[in-house]
Amino acid sequence: MFLAALSFAYFAKALCGSYMKSTITQLERRFDIPSSLIGVLDGSFEIGNLLVIAFVSYFGAKLHRPKIIAVGCILMSLGTFLIAMPHFITGRYTIETTIRSPVNSTNTLTPCPVRTSAESSWNVSMWIYVLLGNILRGIGETPVQPLGISYIDDYAQSENAAVYIGCVQTIAIIGPVFGYLLGSLCAKIYVDIGYVDMDMVTITSSDARWVGAWWLGYLIAGVITLMSAVPFWFLPKSLPIPVDKHDRSCTPDQTRFIKDSPIMTHKIRQEEPANLYLMANEFVPTLKALFGNPVYTIYLCVTILQFNSLIGMVTYKPKYIEQHYGQSASKANFFMGMVNIPAVAVGMFSGGVVMKRFKMGVMGAAKFAFGTSLLGFFLSLLFLAMGCENSKVAGLTVSYTGYEQSLFSDCNSRCFCSSKGWDPVCGENGITYVSPCLAGCTSASGSGINITFDNCRCVGVSYIKSGNLTAILGKCPHRESCDKVFPYFMALSVLSSFIISLGGTPGFMLLVRCIKPELKSLALGIHTLATRTLAGIPAPIYFGAIIDTTCLQWGYKMCGGKGACRIYDTSKHKIGFATFFFLLDKQSFKPLGTRMQGGDV
């Protein structure tokens, strides 16, 4: 029963966390903020963990663990609802555009932006609710892993513990499948669906300004998380200890890694009433004993480096797929949920089965995790060979006349156009222009997404054709050659994800088996604290800052100041993203590999 309840809690928190990742670009566009600030919002979850995890892990092990987990699930649910609140207390989303919908069938194009009133700072700062809600989610998630995993390892037979933990980790991977699928569904739905006339919306879901119904998924995830709290209220504080764990001494394999310390001779048994004053006095000596274990310390350093790579990649991979391969946010989330995540789930579960099948000890688990990490790294190098060239955007990636690259040219010099913002049109010549004005267009016909622009002088500069030079709404589609590369990119992504995740469960079992049983909850808590503090918080921020440096054209708020990025330099985007991923991944297995020489970890 506890295994089922914990699996559902893992599913709920993983669904909510992955849905947060799937809405990265939606939140950027809705609140007009850069990727670096989105990284702060994403990392705020880890800040919530940081506030309480050490104390929850240490003191929670002495108290009623199932009920503490239940309280955590309720807090996660409340935080999820808080994230969705800005949609209900702020105004409708206004698309940044220079196009006025014509009253008649033909209308003279006005190159000035439609929005004439400035947004209030109160409206723009609504992202603070997302920040506070995510912090509350982090606080609520704190007890689930350290108390849940230690509960299983305490009361399950030793030979079954690895399979049980593998099952929980697998369910935790299934959660993101549904999270990304939910993100894919909500990204298709316009943010203000039911409140606006969709026939008058001039953008599609593939446009860089499109915002989906991001708030809807948070309401669904909040309800599921609230439901996950119910079973834990009816579970006991402890279960009968298996016969093979009545002897609390270390196995011969464990004695190679665990060193006794004086404080172990007077540990409080978990079955005795908790003495908070005595536990507080023992906290610092216990930390010294924990970090005196060299295997635990090395494993901690390794996973910090790995998590920097992993979190940065998972956070911005859908964005990378959107920008590099021209996929919509909905399709990018669908591919993550239906292709990448299942491969990770199968790998995690297979790793637990392999460990049980070959009866791997601590040394076997360490070698297996090292081998899969090394192989996954070499496979990841192949990503550098897969990519697309920049889209042809006049003034940004290509010039109007073949000379100096600038948004302004003779063909649009009489239009008094603004260089700020992003309102793309696709010319007959296959080149995208930042706005109809910068394309030199003078008139428009049609309405909604079916507007056609006529007499576009800049289109004729590089396109020899007599007659009426036209352009249509939206960015020009990616080239066919780029579409052919994308399936190979996804196939390699699946293979590398499976190989790397094979070592996930053995690596985790290395952590719980190289320490004293009395320190298990604290060790798991400190491990989670360190990885989230040194990886979960900074990684989205500096990855986001790196991505921001590759921006070619920013959106602008009507009150002034930069908004969200509209188009990136895909070549720089790929190199910058891949360089940090490979450097971190390469360093992640060096310390472990060095210490494994001579049969020692």
PDB file of all heavy atoms in Angstrom, residues 253 256-257 295 362-364 366-367 510 592-601:
ATOM      1  N   ASP A 253      30.479  -6.463   1.972  1.00  0.00           N
ATOM      2  CA  ASP A 253      30.654  -5.510   0.860  1.00  0.00           C
ATOM      3  C   ASP A 253      30.578  -4.072   1.357  1.00  0.00           C
ATOM      4  O   ASP A 253      31.338  -3.211   0.918  1.00  0.00           O
ATOM      5  CB  ASP A 253      29.572  -5.769  -0.182  1.00  0.00           C
ATOM      6  CG  ASP A 253      29.944  -5.156  -1.534  1.00  0.00           C
ATOM      7  OD1 ASP A 253      31.137  -4.887  -1.738  1.00  0.00           O
ATOM      8  OD2 ASP A 253      29.037  -4.971  -2.363  1.00  0.00           O
ATOM      9  N   ARG A 256      33.628  -2.142   3.195  1.00  0.00           N
ATOM     10  CA  ARG A 256      34.686  -1.507   2.405  1.00  0.00           C
ATOM     11  C   ARG A 256      34.446  -0.015   2.252  1.00  0.00           C
ATOM     12  O   ARG A 256      35.344   0.734   1.899  1.00  0.00           O
ATOM     13  CB  ARG A 256      34.756  -2.143   1.017  1.00  0.00           C
ATOM     14  CG  ARG A 256      35.019  -3.629   1.034  1.00  0.00           C
ATOM     15  CD  ARG A 256      34.987  -4.206  -0.361  1.00  0.00           C
ATOM     16  NE  ARG A 256      35.994  -3.601  -1.212  1.00  0.00           N
ATOM     17  CZ  ARG A 256      36.118  -3.865  -2.521  1.00  0.00           C
ATOM     18  NH1 ARG A 256      35.278  -4.695  -3.089  1.00  0.00           N
ATOM     19  NH2 ARG A 256      37.048  -3.278  -3.231  1.00  0.00           N
ATOM     20  N   PHE A 257      33.200   0.409   2.505  1.00  0.00           N
ATOM     21  CA  PHE A 257      32.836   1.803   2.255  1.00  0.00           C
ATOM     22  C   PHE A 257      32.461   2.558   3.522  1.00  0.00           C
ATOM     23  O   PHE A 257      32.552   3.774   3.570  1.00  0.00           O
ATOM     24  CB  PHE A 257      31.652   1.863   1.292  1.00  0.00           C
ATOM     25  CG  PHE A 257      31.901   1.111   0.031  1.00  0.00           C
ATOM     26  CD1 PHE A 257      31.493  -0.209  -0.112  1.00  0.00           C
ATOM     27  CD2 PHE A 257      32.570   1.719  -1.015  1.00  0.00           C
ATOM     28  CE1 PHE A 257      31.732  -0.897  -1.281  1.00  0.00           C
ATOM     29  CE2 PHE A 257      32.815   1.026  -2.192  1.00  0.00           C
ATOM     30  CZ  PHE A 257      32.397  -0.287  -2.319  1.00  0.00           C
ATOM     31  N   VAL A 295      33.189   7.751  -0.272  1.00  0.00           N
ATOM     32  CA  VAL A 295      32.357   7.339  -1.402  1.00  0.00           C
ATOM     33  C   VAL A 295      31.141   8.253  -1.527  1.00  0.00           C
ATOM     34  O   VAL A 295      30.779   8.684  -2.625  1.00  0.00           O
ATOM     35  CB  VAL A 295      31.914   5.872  -1.235  1.00  0.00           C
ATOM     36  CG1 VAL A 295      31.021   5.450  -2.394  1.00  0.00           C
ATOM     37  CG2 VAL A 295      33.120   4.966  -1.144  1.00  0.00           C
ATOM     38  N   VAL A 362      27.722  -3.240  -4.261  1.00  0.00           N
ATOM     39  CA  VAL A 362      28.041  -1.826  -4.382  1.00  0.00           C
ATOM     40  C   VAL A 362      29.048  -1.590  -5.505  1.00  0.00           C
ATOM     41  O   VAL A 362      28.915  -0.658  -6.296  1.00  0.00           O
ATOM     42  CB  VAL A 362      28.591  -1.289  -3.041  1.00  0.00           C
ATOM     43  CG1 VAL A 362      28.921   0.189  -3.142  1.00  0.00           C
ATOM     44  CG2 VAL A 362      27.582  -1.519  -1.928  1.00  0.00           C
ATOM     45  N   MET A 363      30.058  -2.441  -5.606  1.00  0.00           N
ATOM     46  CA  MET A 363      31.066  -2.284  -6.654  1.00  0.00           C
ATOM     47  C   MET A 363      30.459  -2.482  -8.040  1.00  0.00           C
ATOM     48  O   MET A 363      30.749  -1.732  -8.977  1.00  0.00           O
ATOM     49  CB  MET A 363      32.203  -3.287  -6.451  1.00  0.00           C
ATOM     50  CG  MET A 363      33.270  -2.844  -5.458  1.00  0.00           C
ATOM     51  SD  MET A 363      34.066  -1.298  -5.925  1.00  0.00           S
ATOM     52  CE  MET A 363      34.677  -1.703  -7.542  1.00  0.00           C
ATOM     53  N   GLY A 364      29.614  -3.490  -8.165  1.00  0.00           N
ATOM     54  CA  GLY A 364      28.987  -3.750  -9.460  1.00  0.00           C
ATOM     55  C   GLY A 364      28.100  -2.600  -9.898  1.00  0.00           C
ATOM     56  O   GLY A 364      28.096  -2.214 -11.074  1.00  0.00           O
ATOM     57  N   ALA A 366      28.456   0.552  -9.049  1.00  0.00           N
ATOM     58  CA  ALA A 366      29.306   1.694  -9.406  1.00  0.00           C
ATOM     59  C   ALA A 366      29.886   1.534 -10.812  1.00  0.00           C
ATOM     60  O   ALA A 366      29.877   2.477 -11.619  1.00  0.00           O
ATOM     61  CB  ALA A 366      30.438   1.837  -8.388  1.00  0.00           C
ATOM     62  N   LYS A 367      30.362   0.345 -11.123  1.00  0.00           N
ATOM     63  CA  LYS A 367      30.944   0.109 -12.445  1.00  0.00           C
ATOM     64  C   LYS A 367      29.889   0.196 -13.553  1.00  0.00           C
ATOM     65  O   LYS A 367      30.155   0.736 -14.633  1.00  0.00           O
ATOM     66  CB  LYS A 367      31.620  -1.261 -12.474  1.00  0.00           C
ATOM     67  CG  LYS A 367      32.865  -1.353 -11.596  1.00  0.00           C
ATOM     68  CD  LYS A 367      33.453  -2.756 -11.615  1.00  0.00           C
ATOM     69  CE  LYS A 367      34.707  -2.834 -10.741  1.00  0.00           C
ATOM     70  NZ  LYS A 367      35.283  -4.195 -10.711  1.00  0.00           N
ATOM     71  N   LEU A 510      23.794   2.683  -5.098  1.00  0.00           N
ATOM     72  CA  LEU A 510      25.140   2.932  -4.578  1.00  0.00           C
ATOM     73  C   LEU A 510      25.087   3.959  -3.455  1.00  0.00           C
ATOM     74  O   LEU A 510      25.776   3.822  -2.436  1.00  0.00           O
ATOM     75  CB  LEU A 510      26.045   3.433  -5.713  1.00  0.00           C
ATOM     76  CG  LEU A 510      27.414   3.984  -5.319  1.00  0.00           C
ATOM     77  CD1 LEU A 510      28.285   2.887  -4.716  1.00  0.00           C
ATOM     78  CD2 LEU A 510      28.105   4.609  -6.521  1.00  0.00           C
ATOM     79  N   LEU A 592      34.704   9.564 -10.471  1.00  0.00           N
ATOM     80  CA  LEU A 592      34.377   8.184 -10.167  1.00  0.00           C
ATOM     81  C   LEU A 592      35.324   7.241 -10.880  1.00  0.00           C
ATOM     82  O   LEU A 592      35.819   6.277 -10.300  1.00  0.00           O
ATOM     83  CB  LEU A 592      32.928   7.892 -10.566  1.00  0.00           C
ATOM     84  CG  LEU A 592      32.388   6.516 -10.181  1.00  0.00           C
ATOM     85  CD1 LEU A 592      32.467   6.327  -8.683  1.00  0.00           C
ATOM     86  CD2 LEU A 592      30.953   6.352 -10.657  1.00  0.00           C
ATOM     87  N   GLY A 593      35.624   7.531 -12.129  1.00  0.00           N
ATOM     88  CA  GLY A 593      36.513   6.671 -12.888  1.00  0.00           C
ATOM     89  C   GLY A 593      37.920   6.653 -12.316  1.00  0.00           C
ATOM     90  O   GLY A 593      38.600   5.636 -12.296  1.00  0.00           O
ATOM     91  N   THR A 594      38.393   7.794 -11.822  1.00  0.00           N
ATOM     92  CA  THR A 594      39.733   7.868 -11.245  1.00  0.00           C
ATOM     93  C   THR A 594      39.839   7.010 -10.005  1.00  0.00           C
ATOM     94  O   THR A 594      40.810   6.286  -9.808  1.00  0.00           O
ATOM     95  CB  THR A 594      40.069   9.330 -10.891  1.00  0.00           C
ATOM     96  OG1 THR A 594      39.957  10.113 -12.071  1.00  0.00           O
ATOM     97  CG2 THR A 594      41.467   9.445 -10.339  1.00  0.00           C
ATOM     98  N   ARG A 595      38.816   7.075  -9.148  1.00  0.00           N
ATOM     99  CA  ARG A 595      38.868   6.334  -7.899  1.00  0.00           C
ATOM    100  C   ARG A 595      38.596   4.851  -8.086  1.00  0.00           C
ATOM    101  O   ARG A 595      38.810   4.058  -7.168  1.00  0.00           O
ATOM    102  CB  ARG A 595      37.852   6.910  -6.912  1.00  0.00           C
ATOM    103  CG  ARG A 595      38.156   8.324  -6.463  1.00  0.00           C
ATOM    104  CD  ARG A 595      39.470   8.397  -5.704  1.00  0.00           C
ATOM    105  NE  ARG A 595      39.450   7.571  -4.541  1.00  0.00           N
ATOM    106  CZ  ARG A 595      38.980   7.964  -3.359  1.00  0.00           C
ATOM    107  NH1 ARG A 595      38.514   9.172  -3.215  1.00  0.00           N
ATOM    108  NH2 ARG A 595      38.990   7.139  -2.325  1.00  0.00           N
ATOM    109  N   MET A 596      38.076   4.435  -9.251  1.00  0.00           N
ATOM    110  CA  MET A 596      37.763   3.031  -9.458  1.00  0.00           C
ATOM    111  C   MET A 596      38.970   2.212  -9.860  1.00  0.00           C
ATOM    112  O   MET A 596      38.906   0.998  -9.941  1.00  0.00           O
ATOM    113  CB  MET A 596      36.675   2.870 -10.521  1.00  0.00           C
ATOM    114  CG  MET A 596      35.293   3.217 -10.020  1.00  0.00           C
ATOM    115  SD  MET A 596      34.045   2.997 -11.266  1.00  0.00           S
ATOM    116  CE  MET A 596      34.075   1.218 -11.465  1.00  0.00           C
ATOM    117  N   GLN A 597      40.115   2.845 -10.122  1.00  0.00           N
ATOM    118  CA  GLN A 597      41.301   2.107 -10.517  1.00  0.00           C
ATOM    119  C   GLN A 597      41.766   1.236  -9.348  1.00  0.00           C
ATOM    120  O   GLN A 597      41.764   1.645  -8.197  1.00  0.00           O
ATOM    121  CB  GLN A 597      42.408   3.069 -10.924  1.00  0.00           C
ATOM    122  CG  GLN A 597      42.071   3.850 -12.193  1.00  0.00           C
ATOM    123  CD  GLN A 597      43.133   4.864 -12.533  1.00  0.00           C
ATOM    124  OE1 GLN A 597      44.101   5.024 -11.808  1.00  0.00           O
ATOM    125  NE2 GLN A 597      42.948   5.562 -13.639  1.00  0.00           N
ATOM    126  N   GLY A 598      42.154   0.018  -9.645  1.00  0.00           N
ATOM    127  CA  GLY A 598      42.626  -0.881  -8.605  1.00  0.00           C
ATOM    128  C   GLY A 598      41.498  -1.527  -7.824  1.00  0.00           C
ATOM    129  O   GLY A 598      41.734  -2.099  -6.767  1.00  0.00           O
ATOM    130  N   GLY A 599      40.284  -1.451  -8.328  1.00  0.00           N
ATOM    131  CA  GLY A 599      39.173  -2.114  -7.659  1.00  0.00           C
ATOM    132  C   GLY A 599      38.573  -1.323  -6.527  1.00  0.00           C
ATOM    133  O   GLY A 599      37.736  -1.827  -5.783  1.00  0.00           O
ATOM    134  N   ASP A 600      39.004  -0.063  -6.331  1.00  0.00           N
ATOM    135  CA  ASP A 600      38.449   0.755  -5.257  1.00  0.00           C
ATOM    136  C   ASP A 600      37.634   1.880  -5.856  1.00  0.00           C
ATOM    137  O   ASP A 600      37.976   2.420  -6.891  1.00  0.00           O
ATOM    138  CB  ASP A 600      39.597   1.344  -4.423  1.00  0.00           C
ATOM    139  CG  ASP A 600      39.084   2.000  -3.152  1.00  0.00           C
ATOM    140  OD1 ASP A 600      37.925   1.721  -2.795  1.00  0.00           O
ATOM    141  OD2 ASP A 600      39.832   2.765  -2.531  1.00  0.00           O
ATOM    142  N   VAL A 601      36.519   2.250  -5.229  1.00  0.00           N
ATOM    143  CA  VAL A 601      35.686   3.334  -5.719  1.00  0.00           C
ATOM    144  C   VAL A 601      36.248   4.652  -5.200  1.00  0.00           C
ATOM    145  O   VAL A 601      36.328   4.861  -4.002  1.00  0.00           O
ATOM    146  CB  VAL A 601      34.233   3.135  -5.238  1.00  0.00           C
ATOM    147  CG1 VAL A 601      33.382   4.323  -5.683  1.00  0.00           C
ATOM    148  CG2 VAL A 601      33.650   1.853  -5.793  1.00  0.00           C
TER     149      VAL A 601
END
